Each structure stands twice: as C-alpha cells, then as structure tokens.
Amino acid sequence: PLSMVIEGDELIVNIGDWLNREDQARDLVFKITKEILKVAIKSGNDVILPYLVTNAQQINELEQIAVSEGSQFYEFV
C-alpha cells in the first residue's frame, strides 16, 4: 500500500522545451526524483525507480538517500 513508482520519463515530458534542452531537463528530473524519494521514504513508503543506469554516480546517490533514511536499497538488473 502507498508504494510509489517514480518514472523519470513521465516527469520530463512535463518540462517545457525539454527536447531542446534535454541535458538540463534530465538533470532537473534527477533532482526532482531525489526529493520525491526522500519524502516517500520519510513517510514510510516503498519506492520503485525504473531506471536505466547511464551514470553510476546517480545510482550511488539514490542508494545513499535510502541508507541515510534507514531504508534498504535493492538493485535489480
């Protein structure tokens, strides 16, 4: 119950002119995703991030958020 899926591709299409500024828009989506993740975890909810790994540092950041909030982090490939 109340588990949340945070899908970056669903978020990016809501950013104006994202196709012409894709790198900036993807950076913004990652920042937004991290904040949503923090709120959901602090609320005691599970979070699913369907995420194509293109930047290992970003995955590390997501894992650190989970760990810092006392949550478990699972990665499925």
Side-chain angles (χ1 to χ4, degrees):
L2 299 178
S3 294
M4 180 171 216
V5 174
I6 306 171
E7 173 54 73
D9 290 339
E10 295 292 327
L11 295 173
I12 201 166
V13 297
N14 294 291
I15 298 173
D17 201 29
W18 75 271
L19 282 172
N20 292 316
R21 295 175 169 84
E22 188 170 353
D23 289 340
Q24 292 170 294
R26 291 208 178 274
D27 287 342
L28 179 58
V29 166
F30 185 66
K31 290 176 185 175
I32 291 167
T33 297
K34 290 190 299 184
E35 295 306 315
I36 295 171
L37 176 62
K38 290 175 190 175
V39 169
I41 289 174
K42 286 180 182 180
S43 297
N45 301 313
D46 293 330
V47 178
I48 300 164
L49 295 165
Y51 196 85
L52 174 62
V53 179
T54 58
N55 181 329
Q57 179 57 38
Q58 288 182 343
I59 296 302
N60 291 336
E61 288 182 48
L62 297 172
E63 182 176 14
Q64 287 305 310
I65 291 169
V67 170
S68 71
E69 296 298 329
S71 295
Q72 295 177 333
F73 181 86
Y74 298 97
E75 183 177 357
F76 298 93
V77 180

